[in-house]
Amino acid sequence: MRALGPVADPVPCSGCGKLLDPLRAGHVAIFDSKFHFFCDRHACRACFLGEPPGEAETTRPARVPLSLFAPRRSGAEPEPSRSSLDAPIVPFHAPASRDAALPEPPAPFDDRTLVEPIAHAILTEEPSRLDVPEPRDIGALLLVIATIAGTLAVALGLAGDAALVIGARIVLASVGAGMLVGRAATTPREPSDPHPAPILAPSILSLVLAIGAALRAVPSLGAEAASLAGIIVTATAVGAWLLEGARHASLAERAFVAQSLAVPGRRAPDDGSPGEIAKNKVFDLCPGEQVLVEPGEVVPVDLVVVSGEVFVLPWLGATTPVRRRAGEPVVAGAKVVRGRLRGTCTFAGNDRAFARVLIDPRRRADALAPIARASRALAERWSLAALVTGALSAFIAGGRTYVEIAMTAVASHAALATTLIAGVAGVHVARGILHAQRRGIAYKSEGAWDRAARVNVAVFCARGTLLLGEPELAELEAPGGKLEPLDVLSLAAGAERGEEHPIATAIVRAAVTRSVRPDGVRNAHHVPGLGVTAVTSSGEDLCVGSRALLLANRISIAAAEQRIAELEALGRTVVLVAVGARLVGILGLQDGLRPGARAAVQHLLDAQIEPVIMSGDARETCEAIGHSLDVDHIRPEVLPNERGAEVRRLIDAGMSVAVLGHPGVDEGALGAADVAVALGAAGSSPGDLSVALASDDVRDAALALAIAHRARLEARVGLAIAVLPALVGAIAVAFGVLPPAYAPLASLLGGAMAVLHVRALDRVRESGPTRGHTWENGPSDP
């Protein structure tokens, strides 16, 4: 007899070769980036690894105490599900030695072979079930029985209006309603699901009406009431089944992320040397503790590197290793490829960046986002308003019996009180959050996600986001002939020698390259965003910086104004050098555009977000950069300490403003923004950052806003598709245009269209032009 539940094609056991169902394998393991299935954990796994059976048991990995990862909620827990993902997340394995080549992207993840055996154990906090997967899906079986019973209750209407036929139809509808109640009582409920009472109320009330009409011995009225009961039961069951199918992908991917993050870690010894303490893996790591991660291991918590230099796959699903140095953050789920990672834990458990709004049932964005709450409110509360409105409309219209008025009210209630209407917005939110996490994007909370989705202005702190932040000396001139060009460079390098700003670094580097010795200036005074004033080795006043600094020191630049304008029109940053009260040198520095800068701007334009360039450079320089990127809105000559006020001016003008920058460097602008998007900050110490990225790619920063915009728009469209037919059907029934049974049918039609909308979006992503390609530091954007 065929087993109940999901079925997959048989695969051979990697140990003995026997064919087995991958969804019910005794053990699943990953070797060489491939999934292997075994009849049992002991003999077959030991045979495959070439180990004695006893050794296989001793090397058995410890089970995950999931209570540390996802605290129990009152009531039932989520049920497992599985589906293919449009941008797969896969586990990766580091090379066997430090000298080995960096890993290649692994084969695409097939959730049919993984998620079913582990999802239920992960989401129900029962580690023992990682070895023995649940063979039956009781909730799906009950939905099938309810659908069949409800359909038969409707189909028997073709047999006539005899009392026996009506009684049989009521019995069948009662069986269907009982199956729905049984499913609600036995099946785990997702945090994004509505309360079952308003969803089941129409089925139960319609049954009561059918029984009452049958007892009144009015055949036509009893038959109509029985049909309404059967249709409501069928629509409720089919709607629940459609919703489960629509969110299979997000549930499967969430289970996979939970499994991947539920790994133990090592506490680092206090003396910094490997010892017995570091050999024991534990799950109770806390913020502030030092953690040691060996090559090939997954980082268990968010942390900041304490010392050394390592190469890591920077987030779960990344395919390109990056280098992390002391002081830089690493998120949980990253994998160490080369070097030993020692870091200080910043977040653990459900506070980790990629668990906060995806895994934690108290903070899941698909349950708490405003659009998701509004979707549930329609089914839970506004459906009661539809019931009252339908009853009043039928009563005022007149000519109807009390049973018919009650049937109209129940049908209007059933039109809105559906799981599809309640859950369709949450499906889109969850898909958006998962899509962002595949790019290493972490939202702080559901409120941060919603604010990111409402942004209409995005401000780039130009240096380090759109620009490389590594300018090079392109022009060196000495107008007036008082000094030689290299003497000008010597003075500028001497003045900027103690600064860490990119421009100062570029000037000093240019002097070293040209073998120019920096002048021994004294009394250097750095003016943030403007330059340096000092005294030369010969005792003359020295001023190195922007035109604003020279004009503030009453130094005329009129003689070189035309040349300065020409350099700025080329997009170069101009640094002026004055000795005494006379301009003696002009330095033109060229900073290149970062890879992906144009793509980042295009992502924002596609999402109807206005990009803004904010920089301390002159207007002509900013205009040249904006012209090359098709950015019209620029904010030039804004000093670092003035950028927060500039952002607040945009907000006061009625804009919802996001700032894209680096923490520390652009702290003022990030702190003033409605949405702070910080590059390379995921996993860092707590801060007021709405969005943190595990990468330093400006494309990901723009995608953090564009993905949220798209997910919110898709959620609103999906909710409208589901609700509009239901509202039309309820209004038509309330005013007597259509029989009551048409309201739940219209609602089911709208729900089916909403699910088709979800599937259509999946197909569009799967056929996208960038699918299958990778960017510099992660998977491509579908």
Side-chain angles (χ1 to χ4, degrees):
M1 182 176 180
R2 187 175 180 179
L4 297 175
V7 177
D9 296 333
V11 297
C13 172
S14 298
C16 65
K18 177 183 176 181
L19 292 178
L20 67 151
D21 186 346
L23 304 184
R24 297 163 180 85
H27 179 61
V28 181
I30 306 172
F31 299 105
D32 298 327
S33 301
K34 296 180 181 179
F35 293 105
H36 293 266
F37 304 89
F38 303 96
C39 298
D40 57 63
R41 182 187 288 271
H42 309 295
C44 292
R45 184 177 184 275
C47 178
F48 175 77
L49 296 176
E51 301 172 347
E55 183 179 348
E57 175 62 20
T58 59
T59 58
R60 176 172 178 161
R63 288 170 176 166
V64 177
L66 294 173
S67 59
L68 296 174
F69 185 80
R72 279 192 178 273
R73 305 188 309 275
S74 58
E77 299 297 323
E79 65 177 337
S81 60
R82 57 189 181 90
S83 176
S84 298
L85 308 177
D86 60 341
I89 292 181
V90 294
F92 301 95
H93 287 264
S97 68
R98 298 187 182 185
D99 297 329
L102 297 180
E104 294 294 331
F109 164 61
D110 185 358
D111 65 285
R112 294 181 305 170
T113 62
L114 174 66
V115 173
E116 189 67 26
I118 66 171
H120 193 73
I122 291 298
L123 296 179
T124 57
E125 305 171 8
E126 296 180 21
S128 61
R129 303 182 74 173
L130 287 172
D131 298 326
V132 184
E134 178 65 37
R136 297 184 179 183
D137 187 349
I138 300 301
L141 178 62
L142 294 178
L143 282 181
V144 170
I145 296 175
T147 302
I148 294 174
T151 303
L152 289 176
V154 177
L156 278 179
L158 300 175
D161 296 341
L164 184 61
V165 173
I166 294 176
R169 296 173 65 188
I170 293 175
V171 170
L172 287 171
S174 300
V175 171
M179 295 299 102
L180 293 177
V181 173
R183 178 179 181 271
T186 59
T187 302
R189 184 160 66 97
E190 283 283 307
S192 58
D193 286 340
H195 194 279
I199 305 301
L200 297 175
S203 299
I204 296 173
L205 291 176
S206 62
L207 276 175
V208 173
L209 289 175
I211 294 172
L215 293 177
R216 293 184 62 183
V218 181
S220 60
L221 196 59
E224 185 178 1
S227 296
L228 177 63
I231 289 174
I232 290 178
V233 168
T234 303
T236 303
V238 173
W241 176 76
L242 288 174
L243 180 63
E244 289 299 316
R247 65 184 183 187
H248 261 170
S250 60
L251 286 176
E253 190 170 353
R254 181 184 289 113
F256 182 76
V257 172
Q259 169 73 357
S260 301
L261 294 181
V263 294
R266 294 184 177 91
R267 289 191 178 94
D270 293 335
D271 59 0
S273 61
E276 292 300 326
I277 299 177
K279 293 181 180 178
N280 299 321
K281 290 189 175 183
V282 295
F283 291 93
D284 57 341
L285 296 171
C286 300
E289 294 183 327
Q290 288 203 2
V291 182
L292 189 65
V293 186
E294 299 288 344
E297 294 181 347
V298 175
V299 179
V301 293
D302 295 351
L303 54 83
V304 175
V305 181
V306 173
S307 60
E309 180 179 282
V310 295
F311 285 87
V312 299
L313 297 169
W315 67 87
L316 183 64
T319 58
T320 303
V322 298
R323 181 167 53 189
R324 290 287 184 261
R325 300 184 180 93
E328 296 182 340
V330 179
V331 295
K335 187 168 185 178
V336 178
V337 175
R338 189 175 300 168
R340 172 180 291 176
L341 173 60
R342 185 185 180 98
T344 301
C345 175
T346 54
F347 295 101
N350 282 334
D351 289 327
R352 292 176 292 182
F354 288 163
R356 193 176 296 122
V357 298
L358 181 67
I359 307 297
D360 189 354
R362 299 166 298 177
R363 292 182 286 188
R364 275 179 46 174
D366 59 333
L368 300 178
I371 185 67
R373 292 202 303 267
S375 182
R376 286 200 306 279
L378 279 172
E380 293 176 342
R381 294 193 291 273
W382 289 101
S383 60
L384 297 177
L387 182 147
V388 175
T389 303
L392 291 175
S393 300
F395 179 79
I396 293 173
R400 302 189 193 181
T401 66
Y402 287 111
V403 174
E404 291 174 332
I405 293 174
M407 290 171 57
T408 300
V410 171
S412 301
H413 185 207
L416 288 181
T418 68
T419 54
L420 274 169
I421 290 177
V424 66
V427 171
H428 289 284
V429 174
R431 292 167 75 252
I433 294 293
L434 288 164
H435 186 186
Q437 291 200 1
R438 295 182 211 127
R439 297 293 315 166
I441 301 167
Y443 298 97
K444 181 180 180 180
S445 63
E446 78 286 345
W449 175 87
D450 187 65
R451 292 194 301 274
R454 297 173 183 269
V455 162
N456 51 32
V457 172
V459 177
F460 290 96
C461 296
R463 191 79 63 188
T465 54
L466 295 177
L467 302 178
L468 288 172
E470 299 175 357
E472 296 289 341
L473 183 62
E475 298 288 340
L476 178 59
E477 301 178 5
K482 182 179 179 180
L483 296 176
E484 294 295 326
L486 293 182
D487 295 333
V488 171
L489 181 58
S490 175
L491 292 171
E496 300 282 10
R497 186 166 42 186
E499 272 287 283
E500 296 182 357
H501 191 275
I503 292 178
T505 303
I507 293 174
V508 174
R509 184 171 59 247
V512 173
T513 303
R514 292 164 174 79
S515 300
V516 174
R517 183 177 180 178
D519 187 76
V521 302
R522 308 186 307 273
N523 301 330
H525 173 65
H526 301 280
V527 182
L530 295 179
V532 182
T533 59
V535 177
T536 67
S537 59
S538 60
E540 296 181 279
D541 292 335
L542 175 64
C543 188
V544 179
S546 65
R547 69 173 74 191
L549 180 64
L550 269 66
L551 293 176
N553 285 274
R554 302 180 182 277
I555 300 173
S556 174
I557 59 172
E561 189 68 49
Q562 182 177 356
R563 181 55 179 163
I564 294 172
E566 292 175 356
L567 293 175
E568 290 176 342
L570 296 175
R572 293 173 180 170
T573 301
V574 176
V575 177
L576 304 176
V577 180
V579 175
R582 182 178 179 183
L583 179 67
V584 297
I586 300 175
L587 286 75
L589 291 90
Q590 183 71 52
D591 198 354
L593 294 176
R594 291 193 68 179
R598 291 184 178 86
V601 171
Q602 191 60 49
H603 283 313
L604 296 178
L605 294 175
D606 292 343
Q608 297 182 350
I609 302 173
E610 181 184 10
V612 178
I613 295 177
M614 183 179 295
S615 174
D617 290 327
R619 174 172 294 277
E620 290 77 6
T621 302
C622 292
E623 287 178 347
I625 297 172
H627 180 72
S628 64
L629 295 173
D630 294 330
V631 177
D632 297 327
H633 191 164
I634 62 171
R635 298 273 170 151
E637 301 178 3
V638 182
L639 301 180
N641 57 356
E642 299 175 353
R643 291 178 184 177
E646 194 71 19
V647 171
R648 284 189 289 272
R649 276 193 282 271
L650 287 171
I651 295 174
D652 293 340
M655 308 292 184
S656 180
V657 180
V659 172
L660 288 65
H662 291 84
V665 179
D666 306 309
E667 202 67 41
L670 290 172
D674 294 320
V675 178
V677 183
L679 284 73
S684 60
S685 300
D688 191 19
L689 301 175
S690 301
V691 186
L693 273 61
S695 73
D696 195 42
D697 195 325
V698 68
R699 290 167 290 193
D700 293 340
L703 278 173
L705 304 175
I707 290 174
H709 263 258
R710 185 171 67 182
R712 182 171 177 268
L713 176 61
E714 290 173 352
R716 296 174 69 180
V717 172
L719 183 59
I721 291 174
V723 169
L724 287 179
L727 286 177
V728 172
I731 292 172
V733 167
F735 288 97
V737 178
L738 294 174
Y742 280 86
L745 288 176
S747 178
L748 180 60
L749 174 63
M753 293 169 59
V755 173
L756 290 176
H757 174 243
V758 174
R759 299 294 174 86
L761 293 173
D762 288 337
R763 286 194 294 270
V764 168
R765 288 194 176 97
E766 289 174 359
S767 60
T770 61
R771 182 166 177 81
H773 299 278
T774 57
W775 284 1
E776 180 182 357
N777 59 355
S780 61
D781 173 44

